[in-house]
Amino acid sequence: MMSRLLKSLMAAFLLAGLTFAAPAQAVVTPKPKPTIVLVHGAFADSSGWNDVAGRLIAKGYPVIAFSNPLRGPVADGEYLRLFLSTIEGPVVLVGHSYGGAVISNAATGNPNVKSLVYVAAYALDEGESVSDANHLAGGETEVTNHLKVKPFPGAQGGDQDAYIDPAHFHRLFAQDLPRGVTAVMAATQRPGALGALVTASGPAAWKTIPSYFVVAKQDNIIPTVAERAMAKRAKGVIVEINSSHVPMMSHPDTVTSLIVKAAAR
């Protein structure tokens, strides 16, 4: 009886020119992954990010390793700011060492930058220099006692390029990496201008942008107590690991995980 009734109703709808339509399925468009921009520091180059970049690419993230001029936090920050203006969509900025000072300057006022990640890095306050930050919380560093300097064209006020003395590079920069690796790093290091160490930083992006910190507990370049002080001052998410100054090389999985967490915010 019921079957004949349903058939009669369907026939009536068809005669009236009506059809049954299946309910529309909602289409969910996945959010695009942010572009991860990796910024190296002084005495290094973008190759230090290779292990982390490879892991991020495998997870589907667009990755760019920015070539840092190493001239000064404000000037380098402006260079990075212009570079970021060419990237569409959200960005996560990741800085190592002096690169942290650069991302702090570059990200201010950029609505596309969703997170900042500091990897054994300087998160400078406005008016603060790298040299100042080394003394936060009573910190001391000996790297300035082991620099070799060379002239460069256009240097202002007697400024010079600074390199870490290769004889001290392994102990100071990356004591938890094989000596064969650090010997190559020392030979291929990019110098930073001495003036960059004492130049005051501009407005601090970490005051308005969520920040994440890898604090290296065996860092012989930036005092660990200073890294902690900067991370706490920024009210950032903090991960501490037993690492030298290059956790992105000695602990790439940990660093990658924190970047992914920052990207998912």
Side-chain angles (χ1 to χ4, degrees):
M1 177 70 176
M2 184 64 69
S3 176
R4 288 201 300 272
L5 180 58
L6 287 174
K7 287 180 180 179
S8 298
L9 287 171
M10 289 180 66
F13 275 111
L14 289 171
L15 286 171
L18 301 174
T19 58
F20 289 104
Q25 297 295 318
V27 178
V28 179
T29 303
K31 291 174 61 177
K33 288 182 181 292
T35 299
I36 313 297
V37 178
L38 306 168
V39 182
H40 67 82
F43 320 121
D45 61 24
S46 293
S47 65
W49 291 113
N50 285 356
D51 289 340
V52 167
R55 285 164 169 76
L56 290 169
I57 290 168
K59 293 178 182 294
Y61 288 94
V63 176
I64 301 172
F66 173 77
S67 187
N68 192 348
L70 305 176
R71 301 295 90 182
V74 176
D76 296 341
E78 184 58 25
Y79 188 5
L80 178 56
R81 184 192 304 277
L82 291 173
F83 181 84
L84 294 176
S85 71
T86 68
I87 301 174
E88 294 185 3
V91 171
V92 172
L93 275 180
V94 185
H96 170 242
S97 193
Y98 166 78
V102 176
I103 69 172
S104 295
N105 280 267
T108 303
N110 186 336
N112 285 347
V113 179
K114 62 182 298 180
S115 301
L116 303 169
V117 183
Y118 295 87
V119 180
Y122 294 99
L124 301 182
D125 202 350
E126 185 170 7
E128 190 174 57
S129 70
V130 166
S131 179
D132 294 334
N134 281 331
H135 299 293
L136 291 173
E140 294 289 341
T141 181
E142 63 168 301
V143 66
T144 50
N145 299 327
H146 300 292
L147 297 178
K148 290 182 173 291
V149 295
K150 309 286 183 182
F152 66 86
Q156 301 294 312
D159 199 5
Q160 297 185 80
D161 264 340
Y163 302 76
I164 296 177
D165 184 343
H168 296 272
F169 191 94
H170 174 83
R171 178 177 63 86
L172 292 174
F173 205 77
Q175 72 273 20
D176 52 359
L177 296 183
R179 285 188 176 272
V181 172
T182 58
V184 174
M185 292 169 65
T188 59
Q189 63 180 297
R190 284 188 59 190
L194 277 175
L197 304 179
V198 295
T199 300
S201 182
W206 48 260
K207 291 185 176 180
T208 56
I209 300 173
S211 57
Y212 298 75
F213 289 80
V214 176
V215 171
K217 294 197 288 186
Q218 307 300 327
D219 199 326
N220 292 327
I221 298 291
I222 306 176
T224 299
V225 291
E227 288 182 29
R228 287 195 190 107
M230 288 183 277
K232 290 177 180 178
R233 177 173 69 184
K235 298 180 173 60
V237 175
I238 303 171
V239 173
E240 292 203 9
I241 54 176
N242 283 314
S243 171
S244 69
H245 186 58
V246 289
M248 68 285 192
M249 299 179 72
S250 59
H251 296 79
D253 288 329
T254 300
V255 173
T256 300
S257 293
L258 188 62
I259 295 172
V260 169
K261 183 175 183 178
R265 184 181 179 91

